[in-house]
Amino acid sequence: YEIQGCEVIWAIKDKAIGNTFFDAGAAEFLIPKLTAENQETPIECKRTKYTVEGSEEKERPIAASDELGSALGPDWHEGLCLKGTKEFSHKVHIEILCEVKKIHLQQEFIQLQRTSLAFPKEEKDVEPDEVLWPVYVELTNGKIYGCDFIVSATGVVPNVKPFLDGNNFAVGEDGGLKVDKHMHTSLPDIYAAGDICTASWEPSPVWHQMRLWTQARQMGWYAAKCMAADTLGESIDTDFSFELFAHVTKFFNYKVVVLGKYNAQGLGLDHELMLRCTKGQEYVKVVMQNGRMMGAVLIGETDLEETFENLILNQMDLSAYGEDLLNPDIDIEDYFD
């Protein structure tokens, strides 16, 4: 979405885009924005930014291969001109239920004597591509597309191997180093936080671990507090950020807030969904169980996040409010102030 003047082929392994955060309904709400020309004013970034000291005054040196840097985060494109050199209009084609099978360099592809496909045109059969590309992608659905470059978003796997040799760490089912509610690993005086660890304490009913930059930051702060408390022999309460799962990000220039069990994670069939959608403006989904709010997805400038955070945390019985809970003509903040 952020790139202009380019044709993008998006291969996803799921049935709909953004499967980590969105159900099919939310994905359907977002699709028109994805395929439209990006002519909007970007949402102002209010997050803390980390820079190398003096980097704005002088050209940043090329980092050595052994130097560590921070993750790019969601604002990686800030200040960059992401416009193709050729005069293309912004187009996105989505290939669903597939993954990258193999990547071929140009010479390898020529030797294969296979046919690649041109960028699909609306309501037309896909035609063979006459252009010679620097790299080719073969998908598991059998299609091959040529392109200038590939962006791979493959998710996160805990990289624990450097720490396991010679150490007897307890490891979770997802491969992370197990930590207790004070971020201790199974070895004395060693702590872990962020993507590398697996939370092994009994979580709050509306919190779960996800390997996201927001959660890594929260864990890092909390781990530092725990280290200091242990050194001073003081007790420390579990950080408030582990009471409620909350993540704020931006998707196709929409503000996106996900709260609690936003996709009914672990709730089984014993839950209900309430929806409110205004095309091109907002999408609100609430997950209810036994009359109590367990999670929510808020897309757009809904101004509901603070109220919903409190309702999820307080576990108030909302049965009496019924569908009025999402009635756009009622300011529900008035109910709960």
Side-chain angles (χ1 to χ4, degrees), residues 1 5 47 54 56 109 119 123 139 189 192 263 322 330 333 336:
Y1 174 77
R47 280 186 284 266
E56 292 182 3
F109 178 74
F119 191 89
E123 301 177 5
L139 303 175
D189 300 324
N263 263 344
I330 297 176
E333 287 186 28
F336 306 111

Side-chain angles (χ1 to χ4, degrees), residues 76-104:
W76 63 270
H77 54 80
E78 294 281 327
L80 296 177
C81 178
L82 300 173
K83 187 172 177 63
T85 55
K86 295 182 180 178
E87 288 301 317
F88 281 115
S89 59
H90 174 74
K91 291 190 178 73
V92 179
H93 171 73
I94 302 173
E95 292 282 352
I96 63 168
L97 296 172
C98 68
E99 298 181 59
V100 174
K101 181 180 179 181
K102 200 165 184 181
I103 295 171
H104 306 282

Side-chain angles (χ1 to χ4, degrees), residues 1 30-40 90-92:
Y1 174 77
L30 290 165
I31 285 291
K33 184 67 74 76
L34 174 63
T35 54
E37 283 289 339
N38 180 5
Q39 296 177 333
E40 298 173 303
H90 174 74
K91 291 190 178 73
V92 179

